[in-house]
Amino acid sequence: MQVTPVSNNLNQTEINKKKDRRMKAGVIAASALGVGAALAHVAKRQGFSLSPSAIKKTPVKDWAIFGMYNKNQPGKRVLELDDPLDIIELAAASVAGGTAGGAVLDDKKYLKAKFKEAVNQLLGNVLVPIACVGAASKLYSKHKEKILNFVPQIAEKGKASIVFNKALKALPASIATVASLGIGIFTGNRVSNILNEKIFHKKVKRDIKGSDFAPHVDDLGMAISLMSEKSKFSSFVQRIVPLFLCVPGIEAGTHREE
């Protein structure tokens, strides 16, 4: 009987680990490239120039992705990422890039699993939750005045009391956003599982993971925008949205489980 040397097994294990690391790095790059291209398109649509010469003349702090809202500069153009269509475009580009990267760099036997996860990420973690949060936001806006009438307020005798009252008024919007987001992710997960079963004719039981919440930093921004029209903090939240929207693409591109 021939015995395979232990060292050969160890070498193969190391080779597989290196291949996996290269694949994951490639998927991350492909997802980031997709988000970057979509972000450039959104920036151009909002009036930012993509001309290299114009970008070179513009201070880095004023570039579309870095520019922050400043109440002392009311006329300053700032990239806004609070439109659901913009978020969907970024997420779709992320999933397309990540899935394509995984399809090229990973073993072809995992291709079907990646497509299933792509459906789950785009439909279950983006489209359905955004629809739920958007519906809740519209409903809240319609009845905002009536709702805020029930929110208790303290006598404003200084800056601390003013901030406290603002925080109290922000609670209903925050609760509505978190609740609708939870409902959206749960519903989206179930809908995407059913759709995958119809497409691939196989029972699917894909549970909700912590990373499923990553694309919804924009919903935090939505909650913040409900409590104050514009602020540096809401601007900052919108600036990190593209980073979190890389996650759906990375999850889809690196997925292997059936």
Coordinates of all heavy atoms in Angstrom, one line a residue, residues 98-189:
G98 N -18.3 41.6 -7.6 CA -17.8 40.6 -6.7 C -18.1 39.2 -7.3 O -17.3 38.3 -7.2
T99 N -19.3 39.0 -7.8 CA -19.7 37.7 -8.4 C -18.8 37.4 -9.6 O -18.4 36.3 -9.8 CB -21.2 37.7 -8.8 OG1 -22.0 38.1 -7.7 CG2 -21.6 36.4 -9.3
A100 N -18.6 38.4 -10.5 CA -17.7 38.2 -11.6 C -16.3 37.8 -11.2 O -15.7 36.9 -11.8 CB -17.7 39.5 -12.5
G101 N -15.8 38.5 -10.2 CA -14.5 38.2 -9.7 C -14.4 36.8 -9.2 O -13.4 36.0 -9.4
G102 N -15.4 36.4 -8.4 CA -15.4 35.0 -7.9 C -15.6 34.0 -8.9 O -14.9 32.9 -8.9
A103 N -16.4 34.3 -10.0 CA -16.6 33.3 -11.1 C -15.3 33.1 -11.8 O -15.0 32.0 -12.3 CB -17.6 33.9 -12.0
V104 N -14.4 34.1 -12.0 CA -13.2 34.0 -12.7 C -12.1 33.4 -11.9 O -11.3 32.5 -12.4 CB -12.7 35.4 -13.2 CG1 -11.3 35.3 -13.8 CG2 -13.7 35.9 -14.2
L105 N -12.0 33.7 -10.6 CA -10.9 33.3 -9.8 C -11.1 32.1 -8.9 O -10.1 31.5 -8.5 CB -10.5 34.5 -8.8 CG -10.1 35.8 -9.5 CD1 -10.0 36.9 -8.5 CD2 -8.8 35.6 -10.2
D106 N -12.3 31.7 -8.7 CA -12.6 30.5 -7.9 C -12.9 29.3 -8.7 O -13.2 29.4 -9.9 CB -13.8 30.8 -6.9 CG -13.7 30.0 -5.7 OD1 -12.8 29.1 -5.5 OD2 -14.6 30.1 -4.8
D107 N -13.0 28.1 -8.1 CA -13.3 26.9 -8.8 C -14.7 27.0 -9.3 O -15.6 27.4 -8.7 CB -13.2 25.7 -7.8 CG -13.1 24.4 -8.5 OD1 -14.1 24.1 -9.3 OD2 -12.2 23.6 -8.2
K108 N -14.9 26.5 -10.6 CA -16.2 26.6 -11.2 C -17.3 25.8 -10.6 O -18.5 26.1 -10.8 CB -16.0 26.1 -12.7 CG -15.1 27.0 -13.5 CD -15.6 28.4 -13.6 CE -14.6 29.3 -14.4 NZ -13.4 29.7 -13.6
K109 N -16.9 24.8 -9.7 CA -17.9 24.0 -9.0 C -18.7 24.9 -8.0 O -19.8 24.5 -7.5 CB -17.3 22.8 -8.3 CG -16.4 23.1 -7.2 CD -15.8 21.9 -6.6 CE -14.9 22.2 -5.4 NZ -14.2 20.9 -4.9
Y110 N -18.2 26.0 -7.6 CA -18.9 26.9 -6.7 C -19.7 28.0 -7.4 O -20.3 28.9 -6.7 CB -17.9 27.6 -5.8 CG -17.0 26.7 -5.0 CD1 -15.6 26.7 -5.1 CD2 -17.6 25.7 -4.1 CE1 -14.8 25.8 -4.3 CE2 -16.8 24.9 -3.3 CZ -15.4 24.9 -3.5 OH -14.7 24.0 -2.7
L111 N -19.8 28.0 -8.7 CA -20.4 29.0 -9.5 C -21.9 29.2 -9.1 O -22.4 30.3 -8.9 CB -20.2 28.8 -11.0 CG -20.5 30.0 -11.9 CD1 -19.7 31.2 -11.5 CD2 -20.3 29.6 -13.3
K112 N -22.6 28.0 -9.0 CA -24.0 28.1 -8.7 C -24.3 28.7 -7.4 O -25.2 29.5 -7.2 CB -24.6 26.7 -8.8 CG -26.1 26.7 -8.7 CD -26.7 25.2 -8.7 CE -26.6 24.6 -10.1 NZ -27.3 23.3 -10.1
A113 N -23.4 28.3 -6.4 CA -23.6 28.8 -5.0 C -23.4 30.4 -5.0 O -24.1 31.1 -4.3 CB -22.5 28.2 -4.1
K114 N -22.5 30.9 -5.8 CA -22.2 32.3 -5.9 C -23.4 33.0 -6.5 O -23.8 34.1 -6.1 CB -20.9 32.6 -6.7 CG -19.7 32.0 -6.1 CD -18.4 32.4 -6.9 CE -17.2 31.6 -6.4 NZ -16.9 31.8 -5.0
F115 N -24.0 32.4 -7.5 CA -25.2 33.1 -8.1 C -26.4 33.1 -7.1 O -27.1 34.1 -7.1 CB -25.6 32.3 -9.4 CG -24.7 32.5 -10.6 CD1 -24.4 31.5 -11.5 CD2 -24.1 33.8 -10.8 CE1 -23.6 31.8 -12.6 CE2 -23.3 34.0 -11.9 CZ -23.0 33.0 -12.8
K116 N -26.5 32.0 -6.4 CA -27.6 32.0 -5.3 C -27.4 33.1 -4.3 O -28.3 33.8 -3.9 CB -27.6 30.6 -4.6 CG -28.2 29.5 -5.4 CD -28.2 28.2 -4.6 CE -28.7 27.0 -5.4 NZ -28.6 25.8 -4.6
E117 N -26.1 33.3 -3.9 CA -25.8 34.3 -2.9 C -26.0 35.7 -3.5 O -26.4 36.6 -2.8 CB -24.4 34.1 -2.4 CG -24.0 35.0 -1.2 CD -24.8 34.9 0.0 OE1 -25.6 33.9 0.2 OE2 -24.7 35.8 0.9
A118 N -25.7 35.8 -4.8 CA -25.9 37.1 -5.4 C -27.3 37.5 -5.4 O -27.7 38.7 -5.2 CB -25.3 37.1 -6.9
V119 N -28.2 36.6 -5.7 CA -29.7 36.8 -5.6 C -30.1 37.2 -4.2 O -30.8 38.2 -4.0 CB -30.5 35.6 -6.1 CG1 -32.0 35.7 -5.8 CG2 -30.3 35.3 -7.5
N120 N -29.5 36.5 -3.2 CA -29.9 36.8 -1.8 C -29.4 38.2 -1.4 O -30.1 38.9 -0.8 CB -29.3 35.7 -0.9 CG -29.8 35.9 0.5 OD1 -29.3 36.7 1.3 ND2 -30.8 35.1 0.9
Q121 N -28.2 38.5 -1.8 CA -27.6 39.8 -1.4 C -28.4 41.0 -2.1 O -28.7 41.9 -1.4 CB -26.1 39.9 -1.8 CG -25.2 39.0 -1.0 CD -25.1 39.4 0.4 OE1 -25.2 40.6 0.7 NE2 -24.8 38.5 1.3
L122 N -28.6 40.9 -3.4 CA -29.3 42.0 -4.1 C -30.8 42.1 -3.7 O -31.3 43.2 -3.5 CB -29.1 41.8 -5.6 CG -29.4 43.0 -6.4 CD1 -28.6 44.2 -6.0 CD2 -29.1 42.8 -7.9
L123 N -31.4 41.0 -3.7 CA -32.9 41.0 -3.5 C -33.2 41.0 -2.0 O -33.9 41.9 -1.5 CB -33.6 39.8 -4.1 CG -35.1 39.7 -3.9 CD1 -35.8 40.8 -4.6 CD2 -35.6 38.3 -4.4
G124 N -32.6 40.1 -1.2 CA -32.9 39.9 0.2 C -32.2 41.0 1.1 O -32.8 41.4 2.1
N125 N -31.0 41.5 0.7 CA -30.3 42.4 1.6 C -30.3 43.8 1.1 O -29.9 44.7 1.9 CB -28.9 41.9 1.8 CG -28.8 40.7 2.6 OD1 -29.7 40.3 3.3 ND2 -27.6 40.0 2.6
V126 N -30.8 44.1 -0.1 CA -30.8 45.4 -0.6 C -32.2 45.9 -1.0 O -32.8 46.8 -0.4 CB -29.8 45.6 -1.8 CG1 -29.9 47.0 -2.3 CG2 -28.4 45.3 -1.3
L127 N -32.8 45.2 -2.0 CA -34.0 45.7 -2.6 C -35.2 45.7 -1.7 O -35.9 46.7 -1.5 CB -34.4 44.9 -3.9 CG -33.4 45.1 -5.1 CD1 -33.8 44.2 -6.2 CD2 -33.3 46.5 -5.5
V128 N -35.5 44.5 -1.1 CA -36.6 44.4 -0.2 C -36.5 45.3 1.1 O -37.4 46.0 1.4 CB -36.9 42.9 0.2 CG1 -38.0 42.9 1.2 CG2 -37.3 42.1 -1.0
P129 N -35.3 45.3 1.8 CA -35.2 46.1 2.9 C -35.3 47.6 2.6 O -35.9 48.4 3.4 CB -33.8 45.8 3.5 CG -33.5 44.4 3.0 CD -34.2 44.3 1.7
I130 N -34.7 48.0 1.5 CA -34.8 49.4 1.1 C -36.2 49.8 0.8 O -36.7 50.9 1.2 CB -33.9 49.7 -0.1 CG1 -32.4 49.8 0.3 CG2 -34.3 51.0 -0.8 CD1 -31.5 50.1 -0.9
A131 N -37.0 48.9 0.2 CA -38.4 49.2 -0.1 C -39.2 49.3 1.3 O -40.0 50.2 1.4 CB -39.0 48.1 -0.9
C132 N -38.9 48.5 2.2 CA -39.5 48.6 3.5 C -39.2 49.8 4.3 O -40.1 50.5 4.8 CB -39.2 47.3 4.4 SG -39.9 45.8 3.8
V133 N -37.9 50.2 4.3 CA -37.5 51.4 5.0 C -38.1 52.6 4.3 O -38.5 53.6 4.9 CB -35.9 51.5 5.0 CG1 -35.5 52.9 5.6 CG2 -35.4 50.4 5.9
G134 N -38.1 52.6 2.9 CA -38.6 53.7 2.2 C -40.1 53.9 2.5 O -40.6 55.1 2.6
A135 N -40.9 52.8 2.5 CA -42.3 52.9 2.8 C -42.5 53.4 4.2 O -43.4 54.3 4.4 CB -42.9 51.5 2.7
A136 N -41.7 53.0 5.2 CA -41.8 53.4 6.6 C -41.5 54.9 6.7 O -42.2 55.7 7.4 CB -40.9 52.6 7.5
S137 N -40.5 55.3 5.9 CA -40.1 56.7 5.9 C -41.2 57.6 5.4 O -41.5 58.7 5.9 CB -38.8 56.9 5.1 OG -38.4 58.3 5.0
K138 N -41.8 57.2 4.3 CA -42.9 58.0 3.7 C -44.1 58.1 4.6 O -44.7 59.1 4.8 CB -43.4 57.4 2.4 CG -42.4 57.6 1.2 CD -43.0 57.1 -0.1 CE -42.0 57.4 -1.3 NZ -42.5 56.9 -2.6
L139 N -44.4 56.9 5.3 CA -45.5 56.9 6.2 C -45.3 57.8 7.4 O -46.1 58.5 7.9 CB -45.8 55.4 6.7 CG -47.0 55.2 7.5 CD1 -48.3 55.5 6.7 CD2 -47.0 53.7 8.0
Y140 N -44.0 57.8 7.9 CA -43.6 58.6 9.0 C -43.7 60.1 8.7 O -44.2 60.9 9.4 CB -42.2 58.3 9.5 CG -41.7 59.2 10.6 CD1 -42.1 59.0 11.9 CD2 -40.9 60.3 10.3 CE1 -41.6 59.9 12.9 CE2 -40.4 61.1 11.2 CZ -40.8 60.9 12.6 OH -40.4 61.8 13.5
S141 N -43.2 60.4 7.5 CA -43.2 61.8 7.0 C -44.7 62.3 6.9 O -44.9 63.5 7.3 CB -42.5 62.0 5.7 OG -41.2 61.6 5.8
K142 N -45.6 61.5 6.5 CA -47.0 61.9 6.3 C -47.6 62.2 7.7 O -48.5 63.1 7.8 CB -47.7 60.7 5.6 CG -49.2 61.1 5.3 CD -49.9 59.9 4.5 CE -51.3 60.3 4.2 NZ -52.0 59.2 3.5
H143 N -47.3 61.4 8.7 CA -47.9 61.6 10.0 C -46.9 62.1 11.1 O -47.2 62.0 12.3 CB -48.4 60.2 10.5 CG -49.4 59.6 9.6 ND1 -50.7 60.1 9.5 CD2 -49.3 58.6 8.7 CE1 -51.4 59.4 8.6 NE2 -50.6 58.5 8.1
K144 N -45.8 62.7 10.6 CA -44.8 63.2 11.5 C -45.3 64.2 12.6 O -45.0 64.0 13.8 CB -43.7 63.9 10.7 CG -42.5 64.4 11.5 CD -41.4 64.9 10.6 CE -40.2 65.4 11.4 NZ -39.1 66.0 10.6
E145 N -46.1 65.2 12.2 CA -46.5 66.2 13.1 C -47.4 65.6 14.2 O -47.3 65.9 15.4 CB -47.3 67.3 12.4 CG -46.5 68.1 11.4 CD -45.3 68.7 12.1 OE1 -45.4 69.2 13.2 OE2 -44.2 68.8 11.5
K146 N -48.3 64.7 13.8 CA -49.2 64.0 14.8 C -48.4 63.1 15.8 O -48.6 63.1 17.0 CB -50.2 63.1 14.1 CG -51.2 63.9 13.3 CD -52.2 62.9 12.6 CE -53.2 63.7 11.8 NZ -54.1 62.8 11.0
I147 N -47.4 62.4 15.2 CA -46.5 61.5 16.1 C -45.7 62.4 17.1 O -45.7 62.0 18.3 CB -45.6 60.7 15.2 CG1 -46.4 59.7 14.3 CG2 -44.6 59.9 16.0 CD1 -45.6 59.0 13.3
L148 N -45.1 63.5 16.6 CA -44.3 64.3 17.5 C -45.1 65.0 18.6 O -44.5 65.4 19.6 CB -43.5 65.3 16.6 CG -42.4 64.7 15.7 CD1 -41.7 65.8 15.0 CD2 -41.4 63.9 16.5
N149 N -46.4 65.1 18.4 CA -47.2 65.7 19.4 C -47.3 64.9 20.7 O -47.6 65.4 21.8 CB -48.7 65.9 18.9 CG -48.7 67.1 17.9 OD1 -47.9 68.0 18.0 ND2 -49.7 67.1 17.1
F150 N -47.0 63.6 20.5 CA -47.1 62.6 21.6 C -45.7 62.5 22.3 O -45.6 61.8 23.3 CB -47.5 61.3 21.2 CG -49.0 61.2 20.8 CD1 -49.3 61.3 19.4 CD2 -50.0 61.1 21.7 CE1 -50.7 61.3 19.0 CE2 -51.3 61.1 21.3 CZ -51.7 61.2 20.0
V151 N -44.7 63.1 21.7 CA -43.3 63.0 22.3 C -43.1 64.1 23.4 O -43.3 65.3 23.1 CB -42.2 63.3 21.2 CG1 -40.8 63.2 21.8 CG2 -42.4 62.2 20.1
P152 N -42.8 63.7 24.6 CA -42.7 64.7 25.7 C -41.4 65.5 25.5 O -40.5 65.1 24.9 CB -42.5 63.8 27.0 CG -42.0 62.5 26.4 CD -42.6 62.3 25.1
Q153 N -41.5 66.7 26.0 CA -40.4 67.7 25.9 C -40.1 68.3 27.3 O -41.1 68.5 28.1 CB -40.7 68.8 24.9 CG -40.8 68.3 23.5 CD -39.5 67.9 22.8 OE1 -38.8 68.8 22.3 NE2 -39.1 66.7 22.9
I154 N -38.9 68.7 27.6 CA -38.6 69.3 28.8 C -38.3 70.8 28.6 O -38.2 71.2 27.4 CB -37.3 68.7 29.5 CG1 -36.1 68.9 28.6 CG2 -37.5 67.2 29.8 CD1 -34.8 68.5 29.2
A155 N -38.4 71.6 29.6 CA -38.2 73.1 29.4 C -36.7 73.3 28.9 O -35.8 72.7 29.5 CB -38.4 73.8 30.8
E156 N -36.6 74.1 27.9 CA -35.3 74.3 27.3 C -34.6 75.5 28.1 O -35.0 76.7 27.9 CB -35.4 74.6 25.8 CG -35.9 73.4 25.0 CD -35.9 73.6 23.5 OE1 -35.6 74.7 23.1 OE2 -36.1 72.6 22.8
K157 N -33.6 75.2 28.9 CA -32.9 76.2 29.7 C -31.4 76.2 29.4 O -30.6 76.8 30.1 CB -33.1 75.9 31.2 CG -34.6 76.0 31.6 CD -34.8 75.8 33.1 CE -36.2 75.9 33.5 NZ -36.4 75.6 35.0
G158 N -31.0 75.6 28.4 CA -29.6 75.5 28.0 C -29.4 74.6 26.9 O -30.3 73.9 26.4
K159 N -28.1 74.5 26.4 CA -27.8 73.6 25.3 C -28.1 72.2 25.5 O -28.6 71.5 24.7 CB -26.3 73.8 25.0 CG -25.9 73.1 23.7 CD -24.4 73.4 23.3 CE -24.0 72.8 22.0 NZ -22.6 73.1 21.6
A160 N -27.8 71.7 26.8 CA -28.1 70.3 27.1 C -29.6 69.9 26.9 O -29.9 68.9 26.4 CB -27.6 70.0 28.5
S161 N -30.4 70.8 27.4 CA -31.9 70.5 27.3 C -32.4 70.5 25.9 O -33.3 69.8 25.5 CB -32.7 71.5 28.2 OG -32.4 72.9 27.7
I162 N -31.8 71.4 25.0 CA -32.1 71.5 23.6 C -31.7 70.2 22.9 O -32.5 69.6 22.1 CB -31.4 72.7 22.9 CG1 -32.0 74.0 23.5 CG2 -31.6 72.7 21.4 CD1 -31.3 75.3 23.0
V163 N -30.5 69.7 23.2 CA -30.0 68.5 22.6 C -30.9 67.3 23.1 O -31.2 66.4 22.3 CB -28.5 68.2 23.0 CG1 -28.1 66.8 22.6 CG2 -27.6 69.3 22.4
F164 N -31.3 67.3 24.3 CA -32.1 66.2 24.9 C -33.5 66.2 24.2 O -34.0 65.1 23.8 CB -32.3 66.4 26.4 CG -33.1 65.3 27.1 CD1 -32.5 64.1 27.3 CD2 -34.4 65.5 27.4 CE1 -33.2 63.1 27.9 CE2 -35.1 64.5 28.1 CZ -34.5 63.3 28.3
N165 N -34.1 67.4 24.0 CA -35.4 67.4 23.3 C -35.3 66.9 21.9 O -36.2 66.3 21.3 CB -35.9 68.9 23.3 CG -36.6 69.2 24.7 OD1 -37.0 68.3 25.4 ND2 -36.7 70.5 24.9
K166 N -34.2 67.3 21.2 CA -34.0 66.8 19.8 C -33.8 65.3 19.8 O -34.3 64.6 18.9 CB -32.7 67.5 19.2 CG -32.9 68.9 18.7 CD -31.7 69.4 18.0 CE -31.9 70.8 17.5 NZ -30.7 71.3 16.8
A167 N -33.1 64.8 20.8 CA -33.0 63.3 20.8 C -34.3 62.6 21.1 O -34.6 61.6 20.4 CB -32.0 62.9 22.0
L168 N -35.1 63.2 21.9 CA -36.5 62.6 22.1 C -37.3 62.6 20.9 O -38.0 61.7 20.5 CB -37.2 63.4 23.2 CG -36.8 63.2 24.7 CD1 -37.5 64.1 25.6 CD2 -37.0 61.7 25.1
K169 N -37.2 63.8 20.1 CA -38.0 63.9 18.9 C -37.5 62.9 17.8 O -38.2 62.6 16.9 CB -37.9 65.3 18.4 CG -38.8 66.3 19.1 CD -38.8 67.6 18.5 CE -39.8 68.6 19.2 NZ -39.8 69.9 18.6
A170 N -36.2 62.5 17.9 CA -35.6 61.6 16.9 C -36.0 60.2 17.2 O -35.9 59.3 16.3 CB -34.1 61.8 16.9
L171 N -36.4 59.9 18.4 CA -36.7 58.5 18.7 C -37.7 57.8 17.8 O -37.5 56.7 17.4 CB -37.2 58.4 20.2 CG -36.0 58.3 21.3 CD1 -36.6 58.3 22.7 CD2 -35.2 57.0 21.0
P172 N -38.9 58.4 17.6 CA -39.9 57.7 16.7 C -39.3 57.4 15.3 O -39.6 56.3 14.8 CB -41.0 58.8 16.6 CG -40.9 59.6 17.8 CD -39.4 59.7 18.1
A173 N -38.6 58.3 14.7 CA -38.0 58.0 13.4 C -37.0 56.9 13.5 O -37.0 56.0 12.6 CB -37.3 59.3 12.9
S174 N -36.2 56.9 14.5 CA -35.1 55.9 14.7 C -35.8 54.5 14.9 O -35.4 53.5 14.3 CB -34.2 56.2 15.8 OG -33.6 57.4 15.6
I175 N -36.8 54.5 15.7 CA -37.5 53.2 16.0 C -38.2 52.7 14.7 O -38.1 51.5 14.4 CB -38.6 53.4 17.1 CG1 -37.9 53.6 18.4 CG2 -39.5 52.1 17.2 CD1 -38.8 54.1 19.5
A176 N -38.8 53.6 13.9 CA -39.5 53.2 12.7 C -38.4 52.6 11.7 O -38.7 51.6 11.0 CB -40.2 54.4 12.1
T177 N -37.3 53.3 11.6 CA -36.2 52.8 10.7 C -35.7 51.5 11.0 O -35.6 50.6 10.2 CB -35.1 53.8 10.6 OG1 -35.6 55.1 10.2 CG2 -34.0 53.4 9.7
V178 N -35.4 51.3 12.3 CA -34.8 50.0 12.8 C -35.8 48.9 12.6 O -35.5 47.8 12.2 CB -34.3 50.1 14.3 CG1 -34.0 48.7 14.8 CG2 -33.2 51.1 14.4
A179 N -37.1 49.1 13.0 CA -38.1 48.1 12.9 C -38.4 47.7 11.4 O -38.4 46.5 11.1 CB -39.4 48.6 13.5
S180 N -38.5 48.7 10.5 CA -38.7 48.4 9.1 C -37.5 47.7 8.5 O -37.7 46.9 7.6 CB -39.1 49.7 8.4 OG -38.0 50.7 8.4
L181 N -36.3 48.1 8.9 CA -35.1 47.4 8.4 C -35.1 46.0 8.8 O -34.8 45.1 8.0 CB -33.9 48.2 9.0 CG -32.5 47.6 8.5 CD1 -32.4 47.5 7.0 CD2 -31.4 48.4 9.2
G182 N -35.4 45.7 10.1 CA -35.5 44.3 10.5 C -36.5 43.5 9.8 O -36.2 42.4 9.3
I183 N -37.7 44.1 9.6 CA -38.8 43.4 8.8 C -38.3 43.2 7.4 O -38.5 42.1 6.8 CB -40.1 44.2 8.9 CG1 -40.6 44.3 10.3 CG2 -41.1 43.7 7.9 CD1 -41.8 45.2 10.5
G184 N -37.7 44.2 6.8 CA -37.2 44.1 5.4 C -36.2 43.0 5.2 O -36.2 42.2 4.2
I185 N -35.2 42.9 6.1 CA -34.2 41.9 6.0 C -34.7 40.5 6.2 O -34.4 39.6 5.4 CB -33.0 42.1 7.0 CG1 -32.2 43.4 6.6 CG2 -32.1 40.9 7.1 CD1 -31.1 43.8 7.5
F186 N -35.6 40.3 7.2 CA -36.3 39.0 7.4 C -37.1 38.6 6.2 O -37.0 37.5 5.7 CB -37.2 39.1 8.6 CG -38.0 37.9 8.9 CD1 -37.3 36.8 9.6 CD2 -39.3 37.7 8.5 CE1 -38.0 35.6 9.8 CE2 -40.0 36.5 8.7 CZ -39.4 35.5 9.4
T187 N -37.9 39.6 5.7 CA -38.8 39.3 4.5 C -37.9 39.0 3.3 O -38.2 38.1 2.5 CB -39.7 40.5 4.2 OG1 -40.5 40.8 5.4 CG2 -40.7 40.2 3.1
G188 N -36.9 39.9 3.1 CA -36.0 39.7 1.9 C -35.3 38.4 1.9 O -35.2 37.7 0.8
N189 N -34.9 37.9 3.1 CA -34.2 36.6 3.2 C -35.2 35.5 2.7 O -34.8 34.6 2.0 CB -33.8 36.4 4.6 CG -33.1 35.0 4.8 OD1 -33.8 34.1 5.2 ND2 -31.8 35.0 4.5

